[in-house]
Amino acid sequence: MLPRILITPGEPAGIGPDLTCLLAQSAPVPAQLVAVCDAALLRARADQLGVTLALRDFDPSAPRQATPAGSIEVLPVPLRAAAQAGRLNPANAAYVLETLDRAVDLCLCGDADALVTGPVQKSVINESDVAAAGRFSGHTEYLAERCGTGAPVMMLVAPTTPPLRVALATTHLPLRAVADAITAPRLDTVLRTLVADLRRRFGIEAPRVLVCGLNPHAGESGHLGREEIDVIAPVLDRLRGEGLRLTGPLPADTLFTPALLGEADAVLAMYHDQGLPVLKHAGFGQAVNVTLGLPIVRTSVDHGTALDLAGSGRADPGSLRAALALAADLAHGR
């Protein structure tokens, strides 16, 4: 079946609307593309960019048809306030979350096959009135809560040969909170989710995972920290006993070398800036963020809102195009 893929452009003042307009120009994959956003926002941004874009109303009951180049269907969600490229407005935080809610609901009920998300501005959401409902730490955690799952795993994929896949044991935490967050139950859950979705989503029958240590030199036998000895190694030993193919804990400064990566299907880094700088160096602008552990397919761009580029015509849709292509593959079970 032709995949129906939803796109949420994210922060309306950022480059998400630009990328959505530019992506629609080429119709890069055979799929029905539906933007979940304010149609007037896309129209205004297309005009600002000098892009011709045909907007069509989305009808979930209509037969699926591949979206032709130069057009996109729209599931309308109204802005709360006028949006201006490059200027954040906390009044639109609720709009951003509503686009995610509407898209997730369509995926959960089977009316859509995948969700591709543009970048959001976490700070402006947390500074808005919607923050009273709880701190917004990112797409990954928000979508997991919306889907009713408690163990999402953030993984980025770079288009190297072989593909570099880096998952995270912790996501958007202050560095001083990372060590306390790496507990045996959390690590056990993250590794099980990672391995399960490498099998289920990526078709890798027996995934091989390299696991980073937390400390320099993976703790150097306890002289530079005991997390490897007390937490990480015991979890790996137990899971290896169940048949999971896990190597580590390894020093992160030597793990990301061709010899080791060539024998692995994924890497588990302990925290955000341990693994993602390497991945983004390898494929920034073409890498894709994938949320594992969800009942839906969700991919995203590998970058932020780039407010300085919004409306300028200089934004590169490469990562959004890659996210769309991977979402189509995962929706097809490829």
Side-chain angles (χ1 to χ4, degrees), residues 297-329:
V297 172
R298 180 259 172 165
T299 66
S300 188
V301 295
D302 68 348
H303 55 73
T305 54
L307 297 171
D308 58 322
L309 297 180
S312 70
R314 293 183 286 120
D316 182 355
S319 183
L320 185 62
R321 186 176 291 113
L324 177 63
L326 181 56
D329 282 345

Side-chain angles (χ1 to χ4, degrees), residues 26-101:
S26 58
V29 299
Q32 181 184 15
L33 307 184
V34 182
V36 184
C37 64
D38 190 303
L41 169 65
L42 281 190
R43 168 61 58 215
R45 196 63 59 88
D47 291 345
Q48 188 172 354
L49 297 174
V51 167
T52 300
L53 181 63
L55 302 179
R56 297 182 292 147
D57 292 336
F58 169 59
D59 179 0
S61 64
R64 299 185 182 196
Q65 294 182 334
T67 301
S71 69
I72 195 167
E73 295 181 49
V74 178
L75 173 63
V77 177
L79 284 164
R80 303 301 194 269
Q84 183 176 349
R87 291 179 178 258
L88 295 172
N89 187 342
N92 279 322
Y95 156 80
V96 171
L97 297 184
E98 185 182 352
T99 64
L100 294 176
D101 293 344

Side-chain angles (χ1 to χ4, degrees), residues 39 44 95 105 173 189 217 223 225 271 304:
Y95 156 80
D105 290 346
L173 292 178
T189 298
H217 303 178
H223 295 287
Y271 56 94

